[in-house]
Amino acid sequence: MPFFPNKSNGNKGMSLVEIILAVFIFAVATLILFRAFTANKRLSVQNRDRTAAQLLMGNMLEELRAHRFGTAAPKTWPPDQEPGNGWESGTFPAVQSIPAFVEGNKQQMLFHRQLSYEGSLIGKGNKDHDVVTATIRWKGPGRSELQQLQARMVVRRR
């Protein structure tokens, strides 16, 4: 039943106000759905990157646990240096590249890895323990600042 019935000629069609209102409601619903889908895609990419960073962190911590206290650091360990402006063009071991496929297209995820320790862990100190800080950094989608995941661990002589 129309909002403003036209009683003069008995037509049962839709009025211009009803059509405009229907188009407006449809446009608002479409906009809400579009925003929900784009937010979901952005969150999905952020979760993918964070999951990859957590896997890299787990690998670094396992390497630390497997390392014999007081021996030289393996060449696969990243250096203790902050990422510079051009870190994305760096090489292994400071930068870890992980290939990913999104909708059939290959994309590179780049992660800057950093290990900081006092030195006893690799034989450059005489303590029976060492505090190790492992850091993974990456650029999130559409962000200029680096995202960061960090873990601290005390490694003791066995």
Side-chain angles (χ1 to χ4, degrees):
M1 180 173 168
F3 289 123
F4 304 103
N6 188 354
K7 295 182 181 181
S8 62
N9 61 9
N11 289 337
K12 294 188 178 192
M14 293 178 67
S15 69
L16 181 61
V17 173
E18 290 174 318
I19 293 172
I20 291 173
L21 184 62
V23 168
F24 176 75
I25 290 171
F26 179 75
V28 169
T30 304
L31 181 65
I32 290 171
L33 285 174
F34 180 74
R35 285 186 176 239
F37 283 124
T38 56
N40 187 28
K41 185 175 182 179
R42 184 176 36 84
L43 288 174
S44 175
V45 171
Q46 287 175 352
N47 287 335
R48 178 202 66 194
D49 291 349
R50 180 164 277 295
T51 300
Q54 289 171 340
L55 289 171
L56 284 175
M57 179 65 74
N59 287 342
M60 282 185 11
L61 295 178
E62 286 302 317
E63 282 186 45
L64 284 167
R65 286 184 190 107
H67 180 72
R68 220 171 103 219
F69 194 90
T71 60
K75 292 183 181 185
T76 57
W77 283 11
D80 183 12
Q81 65 185 40
E82 296 289 324
N85 290 337
W87 71 272
E88 290 156 327
S89 62
T91 57
F92 184 81
V95 175
Q96 181 83 35
S97 174
I98 298 177
F101 291 89
V102 178
E103 297 174 0
N105 299 321
K106 188 175 182 178
Q107 295 182 350
Q108 290 293 101
M109 296 186 299
L110 296 175
F111 297 90
H112 181 271
R113 304 178 329 138
Q114 180 180 354
L115 276 178
S116 304
Y117 39 84
E118 296 168 2
S120 295
L121 175 66
I122 58 168
K124 295 186 178 179
N126 54 5
K127 293 182 181 178
D128 284 339
H129 69 281
D130 206 339
V131 178
V132 180
T133 303
T135 308
I136 305 281
R137 293 182 184 93
W138 70 97
K139 279 194 179 176
R143 295 184 175 201
S144 58
E145 72 277 358
L146 292 176
Q147 304 296 304
Q148 178 173 300
L149 181 63
Q150 194 171 64
R152 285 202 169 92
M153 179 167 94
V154 176
V155 181
R156 300 189 186 284
R157 186 182 306 271
R158 294 179 209 160

